[in-house]
Amino acid sequence: MPSTQRIWITGASEGIGRGLAKHFQTLGWQTVGTARRDQGPPEADLWIPADLTRESDRVRAVDALLDRAGWPDLVVLNAGVGHLAPSAETRPEDAERVFALNYFAPVELTRLLHARSEGRALHVVVVSSIAARFGQKNLATYSASKAAVTLWAESLNEEWQGTPHRIQLVLPGVVSTDIMRHSMSSDGTPLGDRAQAHQGWTVDRAARAVERAARSRRFSHILASPGVRLALILHDLCPSLFYSLLRRKP
Ligand SMILES: NC(=O)c1ccc[n+]([C@@H]2O[C@H](COP(=O)([O-])OP(=O)(O)OC[C@H]3O[C@@H](n4cnc5c(N)ncnc54)[C@H](OP(=O)(O)O)[C@@H]3O)[C@@H](O)[C@H]2O)c1
């Protein structure tokens, strides 16, 4: 890829987003990052702080991106938050926060960028999750938010056929980040030290896989082992067998 390209990554202060900034910076891209904190990591050449659950911040972030950097060659809508609570203990205000970031932020940022495209091609990669593909206890709200953004992206992919614009979807399995520590619990606070260990792919491996996905023509990319991909096929073909095996897992 030529060295003059520019990427905008949301949720770039840590985890997968920071790994993406590092990876693309190493490839010679200009990296523009966004998250709530005022200062970005060194992997972001330009930092645009924004709380992407807020409409005014989303508008301001897109304005700042276009004014201070310019049109992005690639946008990775990665910022997201977990939620771990039984459905009966899920407060509506917390479900709204999860959907505001995991669903409305990518949808609205894409709409805002598309409105400013002026004939330029828009290439968006949305970071969903394999949690969008099957149900798990205590993850109903998170999974529903990722399922919503997944089907939205699939629909937009149909709308954009034959246009210069592209949307792609990546569905990571487990990536070793602090996402569980940051996940909201039933009282709306982050789990912090109550979080269980969360070990899987490294962020470097996930970042390389997202870059490969962005270079490919394929719409949807599952970032997980062949065993997990096979389990998802089993879920679609024979859900009762899938869930009976899942329930036996410790
Ligand atoms: N790690 C996994 O195993 C895994 C698996 C499947 C899917 N995913 C998805 O991958 C994406 C990244 O996850 P991760 O593991 O890297 O999570 P993470 O380590 O918790 O990072 C989340 C990022 O989002 C930012 N963020 C949180 N709230 C925000 C807000 N209101 N406005 C703007 N930015 C906000 C955070 O920065 P600030 O705190 O500074 O705002 C941080 O940069 C998420 O969409 C997640 O659902 C992760």
Side-chain angles (χ1 to χ4, degrees):
M1 289 181 174
S3 61
T4 51
Q5 290 185 292
R6 178 179 302 119
I7 184 171
W8 184 34
I9 304 156
T10 68
S13 59
E14 59 180 291
I16 296 172
R18 184 172 180 177
L20 280 166
K22 179 180 164 205
H23 180 70
F24 278 86
Q25 195 179 53
T26 306
L27 293 177
W29 286 49
Q30 183 193 18
T31 57
V32 184
T34 289
R36 287 169 300 182
R37 63 197 76 176
D38 290 338
Q39 302 288 327
E43 292 86 354
D45 298 319
L46 177 65
W47 188 249
I48 301 171
D51 181 340
L52 296 173
T53 61
R54 297 192 187 137
E55 187 192 355
S56 55
D57 275 28
R58 293 193 290 257
V59 171
R60 201 178 39 72
V62 169
D63 285 347
L65 168 73
L66 301 185
D67 293 348
R68 293 170 57 197
W71 188 250
D73 299 283
L74 181 61
V75 176
V76 184
L77 300 175
N78 160 78
V81 65
H83 181 262
L84 193 78
S87 294
E89 293 170 24
T90 297
R91 306 182 315 170
E93 62 267 39
D94 296 338
E96 278 178 19
R97 278 167 64 197
V98 173
F99 269 78
L101 187 62
N102 294 0
Y103 176 74
F104 285 107
V107 168
E108 280 300 295
L109 290 172
T110 303
R111 189 181 65 80
L112 290 167
L113 283 164
H114 183 259
R116 304 280 298 271
S117 59
E118 294 162 4
R120 295 169 293 200
L122 176 58
H123 185 180
V124 175
V125 174
V126 174
V127 179
S128 177
S129 167
I130 61 162
R133 296 281 303 274
F134 62 101
Q136 294 169 89
K137 59 185 177 188
N138 300 331
L139 280 173
T141 301
Y142 176 73
S143 298
S145 71
K146 291 297 187 179
V149 80
T150 296
L151 206 52
W152 166 80
E154 283 191 29
S155 308
L156 186 58
N157 187 42
E158 291 309 300
E159 285 183 27
W160 280 0
Q161 292 303 307
T163 77
H165 309 307
R166 290 190 66 204
I167 186 155
Q168 293 176 293
L169 194 62
V170 294
L171 300 99
V174 179
V175 181
S176 302
T177 69
D178 280 337
I179 189 169
M180 288 306 288
R181 295 178 60 81
H182 301 147
S183 289
M184 267 187 265
S185 59
S186 47
D187 62 7
T189 61
L191 280 169
D193 289 342
R194 291 171 290 164
Q196 291 189 340
H198 190 71
Q199 292 300 318
W201 283 23
T202 64
V203 291
D204 289 348
R205 184 175 179 189
R208 286 196 301 275
V210 173
E211 189 238 337
R212 268 198 309 279
R215 277 193 281 109
S216 88
R217 299 306 306 168
R218 199 148 45 83
F219 166 69
S220 175
H221 300 257
I222 295 167
L223 312 188
S225 68
V228 170
R229 290 203 291 268
L230 206 61
L232 294 177
I233 294 170
L234 179 65
H235 170 271
D236 294 347
L237 293 179
C238 188
S240 55
L241 177 58
F242 171 88
Y243 282 110
S244 94
L245 292 172
L246 187 68
R247 284 173 205 140
R248 278 189 226 159
K249 268 188 70 180

